[in-house]
Amino acid sequence: MIDENDPPIDDGPIDDGPIDDGPIDHGPVDGSPVDDGRTVFVPQQPDQATVFEAGSATPPLPPIAPRVAARGIEVGDVLNHIFEVKRFIARGGMGEVFEGANVITDERVAIKVMLPALAADENVITLFRREARTLTHLHHEAVVQYRVLAQEPQLGVLYIVTEYIDGTNLSDVLKIVDASPEALVALLRRLASGLQAAHALGAIHRDISPDNILLGGGDLARAKIIDFGIAKDLDPGTATIVGDGFAGKLGYVAPEQLGDFDRRLGPWTDVYSLALVILAVAAGRDVGLGGSLVDAVDKRRAGPDLSPAPEVLRPLLARMTKADPTARIGSMVEVLAEIAKIEAVPVPVEKPATFPVRWIALGIVAVILLASLVVYATRHRATPATAPVATAKPAMDGIDDVRSAVASALPSVSCTWLRIVSVTQGRDQPQIALTGVAGNPSAAQAEISHALASQGGKGAVLDFSEVAPITPAGCAALDAYRQIGAPDDTRLSVAQRKFEMRRQTGDSAYAGTSAASAIVKVAVRDPKTDFTLVGLEPSGKIDLLIPDRAAFRAQLASSRNGVPITDLGGDTYRLQIDLDHQGWSGLLLITGRAPFDPAVVAPPLGARGADWRDRLVSLAAERGWQADMVWFKSIDEQND
């Protein structure tokens, strides 16, 4: 799994959702301390490895240069004559993850490869190197260990290597793991200790969720925090690029990550998320603090329901989940101190009530007699031959319930923009059709199915035939825009999903060449509301098409005799978008109060870290911004 808010068009959790590929459920990459206590950076030439002692203040970094002509790696490739690529594991917003092996030691490793488009950006590389400096210093049994940052000189790919871990993702086993008070206290202590090690180096995780906790061998006692890809230096002047996207699953992030309390982030941010993870394990299900951005903010202000947690942990979890960071426990050091106090007092064990032996014996006899009567009555009860066999009615049996459950799950599915087309009742189970885009449609489908099952909708059929797979480079933008998604997803629509490319004539922007003309209906429906239109490409490129309503009116005035804009009345318009390339394209509509700063609504590649996401969410809350998006495909009628 790669946080699809990863480094999840993460990770983390991404994702970033999880990818089920046998017993392995990796986050972006996993690792553990190197045996000899050293970390090796592999430079561009295989015979120039640089070694530095773990724990040194400033490890030397290899001279990595931007590479434009890089290609993706393939199974069988050997990177720097050391790491052989064995198997593809996952794909996310920053790159791809593979299982590999060190050809010298035969050790299994995980290899995360940065996308060529990112590796060609000098700013991205600078931030990536800074991130690696912190990550390679993390040495703790509950935290992954990033071992090698390198660039393969022949292929021109930038990659990170960590150890390979056989394990189970915590989010997949919430219902079955040991949730006893002792197990929960031990898990909290282990994870808090690992995060304290990270905080001591000046990095916060920002995405603590069940998706980003791997259980080695499926054992809760071997829990390991994965996907530090979006870890951010505590220096507010620095940025982050590893895990270029929304820093956190909407269901587990702290209130300050959603724009509350001046967006002041710190170790206390991980304190909040860790408490929700423990609460999820105690409840055996997701904590239910997701939904839309507005819902998520309101739920945090109201406070989570702590009743599923054992009584011995409730006071501590209550202090860890205070909405106001100044009222919350501020560090993992304090959390560990409170855990020590809890462990100093034996957890009370409820003893079963005792009864005289003769009463126990009489009770057993009574139970046996009662069971015999039930069996007799069942066998001799008159039942019509045509009576249907009784089956348990699912907890979720209404169309509206199913639609609501899917709608509430969509905001948390990383690297997607999905909308519900229809929900119908099939012969045996509900049928839900969706449309949109996803970096990994199968993983998104599995995540939504899992969310449905957890709410009693097991057996519902998801139709993803109209969900388009896109490249992962734009996941950061998708995951951020989704957090400000409008509750009404009918403001943008297309009559068809595919538009044929033809030779253009007349006043087309591509006259004389082949291009497709996509027709999009834009229904703002409120002349008093300002808006901006942004173009998206699967490569991650974002273009500001129309900065505000004033520019839109000017464009409309200049095209009244035809395309590209036609006024349909009621503040609704038909917009023609000419595309000179094959493949998927997106149109984003953001409504609300102006101005719409281009650096916020359409940031360039390499400027889409967690700080940008926080700024976008903050301005959306302040100016009432709401986003809608539609995707369509231009095809070559002769070749597609």
Side-chain angles (χ1 to χ4, degrees), residues 125-336:
I125 292 177
T126 298
L127 294 172
F128 191 88
R129 285 157 56 92
R130 179 188 299 149
E131 208 79 46
R133 180 180 294 121
T134 297
L135 298 176
T136 52
H137 274 69
L138 286 174
H139 296 278
H140 192 281
E141 62 179 359
V143 179
V144 295
Q145 172 60 49
Y146 287 68
R147 297 186 177 176
V148 174
L149 165 66
Q151 186 171 49
E152 216 295 323
Q154 304 303 319
L155 303 178
V157 295
L158 192 63
Y159 65 98
I160 286 178
V161 175
T162 71
E163 77 167 337
Y164 183 89
I165 297 178
D166 284 315
T168 302
N169 191 286
L170 178 58
S171 64
D172 293 336
V173 294
L174 283 176
K175 292 184 178 180
I176 61 174
V177 294
D178 181 9
S180 65
E182 295 86 355
L184 290 172
V185 170
L187 178 64
L188 178 56
R189 175 177 19 86
R190 178 181 176 87
L191 298 180
S193 178
L195 287 168
Q196 169 54 26
H199 295 169
L201 291 175
I204 53 175
H205 190 286
R206 299 164 62 97
D207 194 12
I208 296 298
S209 67
D211 283 345
N212 283 333
I213 296 173
L214 194 67
L215 309 182
D219 186 358
L220 202 64
R222 294 169 57 192
K224 187 181 288 285
I225 300 168
I226 64 173
D227 195 4
F228 263 82
I230 48 79
K232 175 180 167 55
D233 195 300
L234 290 180
D235 177 359
T238 61
T240 182
I241 190 61
V242 185
D244 181 20
F246 173 62
K249 309 298 183 297
L250 193 59
Y252 290 87
V253 295
E256 57 268 26
Q257 290 179 272
L258 300 178
D260 266 0
F261 306 103
D262 299 322
R263 298 185 297 116
R264 182 171 171 265
L265 307 182
W268 50 88
T269 303
D270 286 346
V271 167
Y272 185 95
S273 299
L274 178 58
L276 294 188
V277 168
I278 299 301
L279 185 59
V281 177
R285 55 179 171 75
D286 184 83
V287 293
L289 293 188
S292 69
L293 176 63
V294 174
D295 289 340
V297 171
D298 288 344
K299 289 174 181 177
R300 280 155 180 76
R301 291 173 179 173
D305 176 15
L306 300 179
S307 61
E311 187 174 351
V312 68
L313 272 177
R314 286 179 202 165
L316 175 55
L317 295 181
R319 294 177 59 198
M320 294 174 68
T321 53
K322 292 289 186 182
D324 187 344
T326 61
R328 189 187 313 155
I329 288 181
S331 72
M332 291 300 169
V333 173
E334 296 176 65
V335 173
L336 292 169

Side-chain angles (χ1 to χ4, degrees), residues 83 107 136 171 185 207 258 266 304 379 383 385 418 427 443 517 613:
F83 303 106
E107 179 194 20
T136 52
S171 64
V185 170
D207 194 12
L258 300 178
R379 289 179 177 176
T383 304
L418 302 171
R427 170 181 263 181
S517 297
R613 195 279 312 166

Side-chain angles (χ1 to χ4, degrees), residues 3-56:
D3 184 318
E4 332 338 342
N5 49 49
D6 180 41
I9 289 187
D10 277 273
D11 344 92
I14 202 89
D15 222 260
D16 72 35
I19 294 179
D20 189 351
D21 195 357
I24 312 303
D25 190 0
H26 276 280
V29 279
D30 308 314
S32 71
V34 183
D35 292 341
D36 63 357
R38 299 187 297 174
T39 300
V40 179
F41 280 109
V42 182
Q44 294 183 17
Q45 298 304 321
D47 59 346
Q48 296 178 343
T50 302
V51 180
F52 71 92
E53 295 298 329
S56 60

Side-chain angles (χ1 to χ4, degrees), residues 513-536:
T513 62
S514 180
S517 297
I519 306 300
V520 182
K521 185 178 179 180
V522 181
V524 183
R525 304 191 186 103
D526 183 1
K528 297 180 181 179
T529 298
D530 211 331
F531 64 88
T532 184
L533 287 168
V534 176
L536 308 168

